[in-house]
């Protein structure tokens, strides 16, 4: 998006590019320069996305959007002007029943230099409604199946226990071992069912909205892990005063799962380190849980947050494979996202976004 030396007039290439953008089918398109001057403001959903009525190109985005809405847009624009892609789902300001997916990316000139950015908003209201309906149906099915599995499991466990008590003398060592394996498998299945039910309840329970001290929860969780595993020497690095607005109990569950993961996967380190940090951008804070453990293979990263999809064998690191699925569900219920990265053998980093201000102030 080149400009002449005085920065006042756009080249023909820029005008041509803006003309192409106008033809893109979207709820709204916003193109802006590096100084946040609006170059193109088009689409029926501009006002619903937070822009003031009848915005005119050339105005500063910070002035075209009310303060609380700019706090949402600011981190997206900042990321794009730094050369990164950013995406967020936003409810309409005029019609809260509508949902828009906003994707923002850098705009480069013919030399590859970033001179601005473009935001394209798509109305995904119908998609959200269909997804929510399917999710509700799946949650109900999940709960029903998990609940109904308990009865046959209890029967298997009860009958196998009775065989062990009454006919132990008639069984040889191999028979007794096979019976013990059956009971261990039943116990494992019971644990998995409990995990499924807990995961299902996360989507059903009512949420509170309080300011939660995540730094304090991190320290408390690591203290509990140290008390249970006194042989471990783990260095904890926590940034003070990190808070978020959300459900205190759910956020504790999310942090406990992330920190327990970090604790488990640093078990083989002579000097294990777990870090918790945060960086605020407007009304959102990005939190980071980092460790120097064994990490994971990024080729399997898409399975990381799926229930029961584990990237390490049970012999290496025992677990159910439900913890990160739980974390993702909690973060999503708060309107945030979570991702992970690792250089296998060099630790793992989990980043998640949470609101840092109450909804009425955003």
């Amino acid at each position: 998006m080149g400009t002449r030396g005085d920065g006042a007039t756009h080249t023909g290439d820029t005008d041509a590019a803006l003309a192409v953008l106008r033809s893109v089918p979207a709820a709204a398109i916003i193109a802006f320069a590096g100084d946040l001057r609006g170059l193109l403001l088009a689409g029926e959903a501009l006002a619903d996305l937070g822009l003031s009525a009848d915005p005119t190109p050339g105005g500063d985005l910070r002035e075209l959007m009310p303060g609380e809405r700019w706090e949402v847009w600011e981190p997206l624009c900042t990321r794009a002007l730094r050369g990164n892609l950013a995406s967020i789902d936003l409810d309409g300001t005029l019609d809260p029943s509508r949902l828009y997916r906003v994707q923002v990316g850098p705009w480069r000139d013919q030399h590859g230099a970033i001179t601005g950015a473009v935001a394209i908003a798509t109305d995904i209201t119908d998609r959200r409604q269909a997804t929510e309906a399917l999710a509700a149906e799946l949650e109900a099915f999940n709960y029903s199946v998990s609940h109904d599995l308990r009865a046959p499991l209890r029967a298997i466990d009860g009958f196998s226990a009775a065989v062990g008590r009454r006919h132990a003398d008639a069984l040889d060592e191999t028979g007794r071992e096979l019976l013990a394996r059956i009971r261990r498998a039943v116990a494992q299945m019971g644990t998995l069912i409990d995990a499924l039910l807990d995961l299902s309840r996360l989507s059903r329970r009512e949420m509170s909205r309080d300011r939660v001290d995540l730094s304090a929860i991190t320290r408390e969780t690591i203290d509990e892990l140290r008390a249970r595993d006194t042989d471990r020497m783990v260095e904890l690095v926590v940034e003070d005063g990190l808070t978020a607005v959300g459900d205190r109990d759910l956020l504790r569950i999310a942090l406990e799962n992330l920190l327990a993961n970090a604790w488990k996967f640093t078990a083989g380190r002579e000097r294990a380190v777990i870090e918790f940090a945060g960086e605020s951008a407007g009304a959102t804070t990005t939190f980071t849980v980092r460790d120097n453990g064994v990490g994971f293979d990024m080729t399997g990263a898409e399975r990381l947050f799926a229930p029961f999809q584990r990237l390490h064998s049970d012999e290496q690191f025992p677990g159910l494979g439900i913890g990160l699925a739980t974390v993702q569900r909690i973060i999503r219920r708060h309107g945030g996202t979570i991702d992970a990265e690792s250089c296998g053998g060099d630790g793992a980093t989990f980043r998640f976004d949470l609101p840092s201000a109450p909804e009425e102030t955003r």
Side-chain angles (χ1 to χ4, degrees):
M1 181 177 56
T3 59
R4 290 196 176 97
D6 59 3
T9 347
H10 301 299
T11 65
D13 288 344
T14 297
D15 293 336
L18 292 175
V20 171
L21 279 175
R22 286 182 183 277
S23 67
V24 174
I29 298 173
I30 303 171
F32 54 93
D35 60 2
L36 298 176
R37 285 181 302 107
L39 301 175
L40 173 64
L41 305 166
E44 297 178 353
L46 288 176
D48 210 14
L49 285 166
L51 274 76
S52 55
D54 299 322
T56 55
D60 191 314
L61 288 187
R62 290 165 291 194
E63 298 173 359
L64 294 174
M65 293 184 183
E68 66 274 8
R69 199 57 162 179
W70 174 245
E71 289 183 349
V72 177
W73 277 83
E74 181 180 22
L76 302 175
C77 297
T78 300
R79 290 179 191 175
L81 291 173
R82 289 176 180 170
N84 300 312
L85 297 175
S87 176
I88 191 172
D89 290 349
L90 295 176
D91 291 323
T93 56
L94 303 179
D95 183 358
S97 68
R98 306 218 69 77
L99 181 68
Y100 302 94
R101 176 152 298 163
V102 180
Q103 296 174 300
V104 190
W107 192 350
R108 302 176 186 271
D109 64 16
Q110 62 269 33
H111 304 295
I114 297 171
T115 57
V118 178
I120 296 179
T122 306
D123 190 329
I124 59 169
T125 305
D126 292 343
R127 195 186 314 172
R128 175 174 69 172
Q129 292 169 346
T131 300
E132 288 176 348
L134 178 61
E137 186 177 337
L138 288 174
E139 288 296 339
F141 176 76
N142 175 40
Y143 187 87
S144 175
V145 170
S146 300
H147 188 272
D148 292 346
L149 283 173
R150 288 183 175 278
L153 272 182
R154 283 196 297 268
I156 294 171
D157 188 52
F159 289 137
S160 58
V163 170
R165 287 194 306 270
R166 299 176 186 177
H167 305 286
D169 294 340
L171 296 172
D172 58 14
E173 185 175 346
T174 299
R176 287 191 292 273
E177 173 58 25
L178 291 174
L179 198 59
R181 287 187 182 184
I182 291 173
R183 299 204 66 199
R184 285 197 297 271
V186 169
Q188 176 75 354
M189 178 66 82
T191 303
L192 292 176
I193 289 174
D194 288 339
L196 278 174
L197 289 173
D198 289 341
L199 195 60
S200 178
R201 292 187 187 106
L202 287 178
S203 299
R204 294 168 177 265
R205 60 165 287 174
E206 292 293 322
M207 283 179 55
S208 62
R209 295 284 180 178
D210 303 303
R211 181 158 297 283
V212 183
D213 188 338
L214 300 185
S215 296
I217 291 176
T218 296
R219 289 192 175 92
E220 292 165 6
T221 301
I222 294 297
D223 285 345
E224 292 170 3
L225 291 167
R226 283 172 173 156
R228 294 202 298 264
D229 195 354
T230 55
D231 293 334
R232 293 284 307 278
M233 296 293 292
V234 177
E235 179 184 351
L236 177 64
V237 181
V238 180
E239 188 175 331
D240 291 325
L242 294 179
T243 66
V245 174
D247 187 286
R248 188 179 307 277
D249 293 336
L250 289 180
L251 292 179
R252 178 179 289 276
I253 290 170
L255 266 180
E256 285 175 346
N257 275 286
L258 287 172
L259 293 167
N261 250 24
W263 185 274
K264 175 168 63 176
F265 291 112
T266 56
R269 294 292 186 254
E270 183 176 341
R271 180 180 175 271
V273 180
I274 298 174
E275 303 174 48
F276 181 61
E279 181 178 355
S280 294
T284 302
T285 300
T286 299
F287 298 94
T288 303
V289 175
R290 182 181 293 109
D291 66 69
N292 66 337
V294 299
F296 57 88
D297 185 348
M298 285 294 290
T299 59
E302 73 281 355
R303 297 189 288 117
L304 204 59
F305 297 99
F308 310 122
Q309 296 292 313
R310 307 191 65 230
L311 303 186
H312 298 278
S313 70
D314 203 51
E315 291 74 20
Q316 289 177 298
F317 298 99
L320 297 176
I322 202 75
L324 291 179
T326 299
V327 173
Q328 185 186 61
R329 189 156 300 189
I330 290 171
I331 299 303
R332 283 181 173 175
R333 284 211 67 189
H334 285 79
T337 59
I338 181 169
D339 57 41
E341 65 180 37
S342 174
C343 299
D346 234 1
T349 300
F350 289 85
R351 294 186 182 87
F352 57 96
D353 300 324
L354 289 172
S356 51
E359 287 184 358
E360 60 268 18
T361 66
R362 284 186 270 149

